[in-house]
Amino acid sequence: MTSSLEIVSDVRNAFSCGKTRNIAFRLNQLNALLRLYEENTPEILSALAEDLCRSKHESILVETECLKNDVLTMIYNLSSWTQPEKAEKPLPNMMDQVLICREPYGVIVYEAASKFLTPVTLELGGKNPVYVDDSVDMEVAVTRIMWGRCINSGQNCVSPDYVLCSKDVQEKFLQNVNQTVSLLYGDKIKVSPDYGRIINDSQFRRITKLLEGTKIAYGGDYDAKERYIEPTIVIDVKPTDPIMQEEIFGPILPIINVNNVHDAINFINQKEKPLALYIFSNRKADVELLIKTTSSGGVCVNDTMVHYSCENLPFGGVGYSGMGGYHGKFTFDTFSHKKGMLIKDIGKFSENLQNVRYPPYTDSKLNFINTLMKKRFPLPMRDIYNGS
């Protein structure tokens, strides 16, 4: 069997010889990856069902189709994305070609990236807050929040981790939970074909231990043999409780009471920066305030998790929740080095215009250089052409 060191060596050699830079080669590899997904979709769905009791519908929705679409995005756009990009020309370079060329990075891991100062993208997760106020349709809000909390039994990096709301909103939230969960998974959640299981015994024990000493307002049932945990709402939660000290990564949703949006902002900012912030509000001013005064990997307003599926938005963390971003072209840019290129004319006319940089230096040359290099407020090109 080929060792991991041999595989890494082969990959490095292939990259070093330039084989992988060829666009046709990269498209062939992408098409091969697409065929792998398409030919093995039944096996992938079967593995997800066996490991996580994950339904076919859910697996297709958030796994297999996303993988295929990511590859297709690259196939459809790779040729255009790899073309040199024309950069804006400063005045001293008006006769030159100013280009940005994207070239691929080599295969690298974070330790090696640190050694060679190579940029990386890391998505790490975290505790994703959900702010809810009384301006929203609570039935819709609860449905979207509980769907986000319960999909794959809460084992998603962008899953809602806790709710911030007032006591009054909490009461309305709880009034809708039972009906919402019943509509999603039926009256007997444990036998629902659409409700998953925790990945292994150690994670099951870790998650259920977080329920010790808590006040359960909804749910709370679990079965160690099946690694089943019922969707659970916990109230009267304090910031110092164990359930608030780590990412839950399971179908448990604590509710923290705050008096207003300002209290919610203070609470969020006292924690590590989350991968996602969810805001349920129809108050535009409060939504804008939350977005402007908090920091998170991404924001989704009046829904949960679905921002991840938008390939035209960068997805990634900040601070504790990660660094960088990917999706669509952002993925391509993440694994590309932007190489600046300046291509100058070497004819006599061009040289005569630029010879003021050469000795012997004179005041007239210096004045010309100062005029040429002086920073000016940029004008739209149409204004220049119109003489305005």
Side-chain angles (χ1 to χ4, degrees):
M1 181 180 291
T2 305
S3 69
S4 58
L5 290 176
E6 290 174 315
I7 293 173
V8 171
S9 178
D10 289 343
V11 171
R12 284 176 175 163
N13 289 337
F15 180 80
S16 297
C17 73
K19 177 182 178 181
T20 62
R21 292 172 179 256
N22 182 274
I23 301 302
F25 174 87
R26 291 154 75 177
L27 286 172
N28 284 337
Q29 295 296 97
L30 287 167
N31 279 297
L33 181 60
L34 180 62
R35 287 197 304 274
L36 183 146
Y37 287 151
E38 291 175 338
E39 293 171 3
N40 292 278
T41 293
E43 287 79 3
I44 294 172
L45 298 177
S46 177
L48 288 167
E50 183 177 347
D51 292 346
L52 296 162
C53 197
R54 200 163 193 178
S55 71
K56 178 180 178 181
H57 182 102
E58 188 176 293
S59 294
I60 290 174
L61 177 66
V62 299
E63 298 286 356
T64 57
E65 290 309 299
C66 290
L67 292 172
K68 294 174 188 176
N69 286 339
D70 282 344
V71 178
L72 285 169
T73 296
M74 292 296 164
I75 291 172
Y76 295 155
N77 294 284
L78 184 64
S79 295
S80 61
W81 288 347
T82 52
Q83 295 300 310
E85 174 188 338
K86 291 183 178 179
E88 185 177 348
K89 295 181 181 182
L91 188 58
N93 302 109
M94 290 306 291
M95 297 186 64
D96 306 327
Q97 293 185 59
V98 183
L99 305 170
I100 298 172
C101 180
R102 291 174 172 83
E103 59 182 18
Y105 285 118
V107 176
I108 200 157
V109 296
Y110 188 68
E111 183 178 356
S114 300
K115 180 179 178 182
F116 296 107
L117 303 179
T118 302
V120 298
T121 291
L122 293 175
E123 182 261 288
L124 300 174
K127 293 185 74 65
N128 305 312
V130 186
Y131 174 73
V132 187
D133 69 18
D134 60 2
S135 68
V136 296
D137 184 314
M138 196 57 63
E139 182 180 344
V140 175
V142 171
T143 299
R144 294 180 179 183
I145 293 168
M146 293 307 295
W147 171 79
R149 177 75 281 192
C150 294
I151 193 169
N152 199 34
S153 287
Q155 298 166 105
N156 296 281
C157 60
V158 290
S159 182
D161 195 272
Y162 63 94
V163 171
L164 294 168
C165 67
S166 68
K167 281 278 190 181
D168 290 340
V169 170
Q170 174 182 290
E171 184 177 345
K172 295 175 184 176
F173 189 100
L174 293 172
Q175 288 171 359
N176 283 274
V177 168
N178 186 62
Q179 179 182 352
T180 295
V181 175
S182 294
L183 288 172
L184 294 175
Y185 302 109
D187 294 329
K188 296 181 179 179
I189 305 169
K190 191 175 181 179
V191 298
S192 170
D194 300 320
Y195 191 75
R197 299 297 186 267
I198 303 303
I199 184 64
N200 56 42
D201 291 336
S202 63
Q203 286 300 310
F204 175 87
R205 290 191 295 269
R206 180 191 63 80
I207 296 167
T208 52
K209 186 174 177 61
L210 295 175
L211 290 174
E212 294 178 2
T214 62
K215 184 176 180 179
I216 296 173
Y218 175 83
D221 187 28
Y222 54 84
D223 184 338
K225 185 177 180 180
E226 290 194 23
R227 302 193 305 277
Y228 161 80
I229 301 176
E230 184 181 14
T232 301
I233 307 292
V234 178
I235 60 173
D236 294 347
V237 178
K238 298 186 292 295
T240 55
D241 289 347
I243 203 168
M244 293 303 296
Q245 306 311 307
E246 61 180 270
E247 184 179 3
I248 297 170
F249 218 67
I252 302 170
L253 190 65
I255 298 180
I256 302 281
N257 293 131
V258 293
N259 294 320
N260 50 52
V261 67
H262 300 285
D263 288 348
I265 290 168
N266 289 335
F267 189 92
I268 293 168
N269 287 339
Q270 288 171 7
K271 298 287 185 180
E272 297 287 358
K273 296 176 181 180
L275 183 60
L277 167 63
Y278 300 115
I279 305 168
F280 282 80
S281 175
N282 286 319
R283 297 189 176 100
K284 186 177 179 181
D286 287 353
V287 172
E288 291 179 351
L289 187 65
L290 274 158
I291 293 172
K292 289 179 180 179
T293 58
T294 63
S295 179
S296 59
V299 177
C300 186
V301 179
N302 292 329
D303 210 335
T304 63
M305 296 183 58
V306 293
H307 66 297
Y308 174 81
S309 64
C310 182
E311 67 174 28
N312 293 325
L313 291 176
F315 176 75
V318 57
Y320 182 81
S321 59
M323 64 180 74
Y326 62 97
H327 267 180
K329 190 172 186 296
F330 298 101
T331 302
F332 176 82
D333 289 339
T334 286
F335 292 103
S336 299
H337 164 62
K338 294 181 180 179
K339 180 169 63 178
M341 299 189 299
L342 181 66
I343 304 173
K344 299 183 72 68
D345 182 84
I346 200 168
K348 288 293 185 183
F349 179 74
S350 172
E351 180 66 5
N352 288 335
L353 288 176
Q354 301 181 56
N355 64 12
V356 291
R357 59 181 169 164
Y358 303 139
Y361 300 128
T362 64
D363 288 343
S364 61
K365 286 184 178 181
L366 184 58
N367 289 336
F368 184 79
I369 289 173
N370 285 336
T371 301
L372 198 63
M373 297 186 67
K374 183 179 179 181
K375 196 68 176 178
R376 295 168 177 82
F377 189 82
L379 291 174
M381 292 307 293
R382 65 175 182 273
D383 292 343
I384 296 175
Y385 294 146
N386 292 335
S388 58

